[in-house]
Amino acid sequence: MPQSKTSRFSARASKESIESGLVFQPKFDAEGLIPAIVTDAVTGEVLMFAWMNAESLALTIEKGVGHFWSRSRGSLWKKGEESGNLLRVAELRTDCDQDVVWLRVTVEGGGVACHTGQRSCFYRSVPLGPAPHNDLVKSPSRPRPGR
Amino acid sequence: MPQSKTSRFSARASKESIESGLVFQPKFDAEGLIPAIVTDAVTGEVLMFAWMNAESLALTIEKGVGHFWSRSRGSLWKKGEESGNLLRVAELRTDCDQDVVWLRVTVEGGGVACHTGQRSCFYRSVPLGPAPHNDLVKSPSRPRPGR
């Protein structure tokens, strides 16, 4: 189980408390995971999407560096630990239902967030219009100011 | 089952084709759903996070308007159909694994994406630092240029 046995976070309360209150009470799914959206703190570009368990969320908040749960490896994953492309967190937000988190980050090292070597994982777009929807087109990352 | 019986999309091929190719072959999870990140096309702010089944993804691409699968209601959900706050899609991207989509949108009507009346669902942030991680702080939406 990816969820740690003792939750580090507040228990879920009423819908009103979750939506309007100022108590952090993140919701983990049946696998003990919460989705995490990662964007560039300057450009707003979505860099990657991953999952966190309670331990990786707590580490991310405590250290200010992105930690996740690797579903393929079944283990804690400190992003960039080997490559040097650590995610330095400028801000961590949650949504109305507190079942998603959003990290605004600066990518350290080479500035590369994707394992393919691209800055962002989202390097292809789907042309809009009638079916069939079979094709992708390359959609280059936006350059960061000053780089 | 939220997944339509006949898939409208290409079957998944090799890892190389998925990561480097130009064939759109989205991956739906065991529930027939794919995560969808929605950002403001101008500011880059994350507005909401939701799920799509094959039908809602196909409708989004075809119409250029955000459609989702409501897990709570168990039905197709054309976002803003009642409120007028439709999501007009400027660009739709997918990630390296093709198991997430990212919509860059303009919110029509009142410009409100969240059911609470906020522009973005992500109106609170989690202060970084040592445990306990119990508190949230209000984190107002960034104004859109020209508004």
Side-chain angles (χ1 to χ4, degrees), chain A residues 19 24 92 115 123 126 134, chain B residues 19 24 92 115 123 126 134:
Chain A
E19 290 188 353
F24 186 39
L92 193 151
H115 78 285
Y123 47 83
V126 184
N134 295 333
Chain B
E19 289 188 354
F24 186 39
L92 192 150
H115 77 285
Y123 47 83
V126 184
N134 295 332

Side-chain angles (χ1 to χ4, degrees), chain A residues 24-109:
Chain A
F24 186 39
Q25 39 196 309
K27 182 179 180 183
F28 299 93
D29 68 12
E31 304 293 316
L33 302 176
I34 188 168
I37 302 164
V38 179
T39 68
D40 184 296
V42 174
T43 66
E45 182 172 36
V46 180
L47 298 176
M48 55 178 277
F49 173 85
W51 296 84
M52 291 178 169
N53 65 349
E55 183 183 7
S56 52
L57 178 56
L59 282 169
T60 300
I61 297 168
E62 193 171 323
K63 309 285 187 189
V65 172
H67 292 71
F68 304 92
W69 177 259
S70 168
R71 295 188 301 174
S72 56
R73 292 191 298 273
S75 62
L76 186 75
W77 168 37
K78 182 179 178 181
K79 166 76 185 160
E81 190 167 33
E82 292 177 14
S83 66
N85 297 320
L86 295 172
L87 304 180
R88 188 69 55 183
V89 181
E91 189 182 23
L92 193 151
R93 295 196 189 191
T94 192
D95 73 335
C96 46
D97 301 325
Q98 299 200 36
D99 59 1
V100 183
V101 294
W102 166 24
L103 285 67
R104 295 178 52 240
V105 310
T106 302
V107 186
E108 296 198 340

